[in-house]
């Protein structure tokens, strides 16, 4: 049905908003069914870059699945990096990094941290608080690789400070001195 509507749009004038809505719904459908190749082809078929940008951003703002979010964030940073505001660029890059970190976690646990996918530092802190040390090690390694020179609102030093803070808390043993009575 989406493809028929797309053909109809080539034959008859369709208002821009309706065209955006059609492509957005089609893209979301393809992403939710896991057909990333057709989703990529759909985005390539759209001739107007403004429409393509609007569709991609609107889809991302609807918080689709992990794989769909990762695909959209990666697509936006690859094709529209210069068209995004600095704040939006940082937000999308953080989401891209967060989704990559989520993909390193065991599949059954991803749902517990999905809501933090756009905030990788907070996700890392949550993993530390939940004592998932093995997962933290992989997440930190992934973030260090991804941060290489990118500006996303936090740095490698922020990660190191967070790790230091929790390492210090782990070694903090409150104790009371006992007095010797004579």
């Amino acid at each position: 049905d989406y493809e028929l509507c797309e053909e109809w749009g080539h034959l008859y004038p369709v208002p821009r908003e309706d065209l955006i809505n059609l492509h957005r719904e089609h893209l979301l459908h393809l992403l939710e069914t896991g057909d990333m190749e057709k989703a990529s082809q759909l985005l390539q078929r759209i001739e107007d870059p403004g429409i393509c940008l609007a569709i991609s951003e609107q889809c991302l703002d609807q918080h689709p699945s992990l794989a769909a979010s990762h695909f959209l964030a990666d697509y936006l940073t690859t094709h529209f990096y210069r068209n995004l505001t600095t704040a939006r660029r940082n937000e999308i890059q953080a989401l891209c990094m967060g989704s990559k970190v989520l993909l390193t976690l065991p599949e059954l646990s991803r749902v517990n941290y999905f809501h933090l996918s756009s905030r990788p530092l907070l996700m890392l802190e949550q993993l530390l608080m939940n004592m998932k040390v093995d997962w933290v090690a992989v997440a930190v390694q992934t973030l260090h690789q991804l941060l290489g020179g990118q500006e996303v609102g936090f740095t490698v030093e922020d990660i190191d400070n967070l790790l230091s803070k929790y390492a210090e808390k782990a070694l903090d043993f409150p104790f009371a001195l006992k007095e010797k009575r004579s």
Side-chain angles (χ1 to χ4, degrees):
D1 289 345
Y2 290 118
E3 290 169 4
L4 178 63
C5 289
E6 190 177 334
E7 286 179 33
W8 184 269
H10 290 297
L11 299 174
Y12 299 97
V14 177
R16 180 182 167 91
E17 273 310 303
D18 292 340
L19 198 58
I20 289 173
N21 290 338
L22 165 70
H23 288 307
R24 183 188 64 236
E25 294 304 317
H26 189 190
L27 183 60
L28 283 171
H29 170 73
L30 291 172
L31 292 173
E32 293 305 319
T33 57
D35 198 343
M36 304 304 174
E37 188 174 325
K38 280 191 177 179
S40 183
Q41 290 170 359
L42 170 66
L43 290 170
Q44 288 173 0
R45 281 195 312 266
I46 300 171
E47 295 171 3
D48 184 348
I51 290 178
C52 198
L53 174 62
I55 292 164
S56 302
E57 281 195 288
Q58 287 177 16
C59 286
L60 187 63
D61 290 340
Q62 289 189 10
H63 307 290
S65 67
L66 174 60
S69 294
H70 181 70
F71 173 85
L72 290 165
D74 188 50
Y75 181 82
L76 283 165
T77 54
T78 302
H79 293 90
F80 295 105
Y81 188 81
R82 296 181 192 277
N83 300 62
L84 302 168
T85 64
T86 303
R88 182 68 170 161
R89 189 179 314 137
N90 289 348
E91 176 187 330
I92 290 172
Q93 285 182 317
L95 177 65
C96 192
M97 286 184 187
S99 62
K100 283 185 182 179
V101 169
L102 269 177
L103 290 170
T104 66
L105 301 180
E107 193 170 341
L108 295 175
S109 301
R110 291 176 188 164
V111 69
N112 298 329
Y113 300 96
F114 181 73
H115 66 285
L116 298 172
S117 60
S118 62
R119 303 183 66 195
L121 266 183
L122 194 55
M123 185 188 316
L124 189 61
E125 186 168 7
Q126 187 70 47
L127 289 169
L128 284 166
M129 290 182 350
N130 291 341
M131 304 295 286
K132 305 294 185 185
V133 179
D134 296 339
W135 299 356
V136 169
V138 175
V140 168
Q141 183 180 10
T142 303
L143 285 172
H144 276 271
Q145 289 171 355
L146 295 172
L147 275 173
Q150 290 191 21
E151 198 175 304
V152 293
F154 65 94
T155 63
V156 173
E157 289 78 27
D158 293 327
I159 294 171
D160 292 343
N161 290 338
L162 182 67
L163 293 173
S164 296
K165 175 180 154 186
Y166 277 89
E168 184 180 308
K169 286 183 180 196
L171 297 175
D172 187 21
F173 297 107
F175 65 93
L177 292 173
K178 293 185 178 179
E179 292 180 17
K180 289 185 178 182
R181 293 185 181 165
S182 55

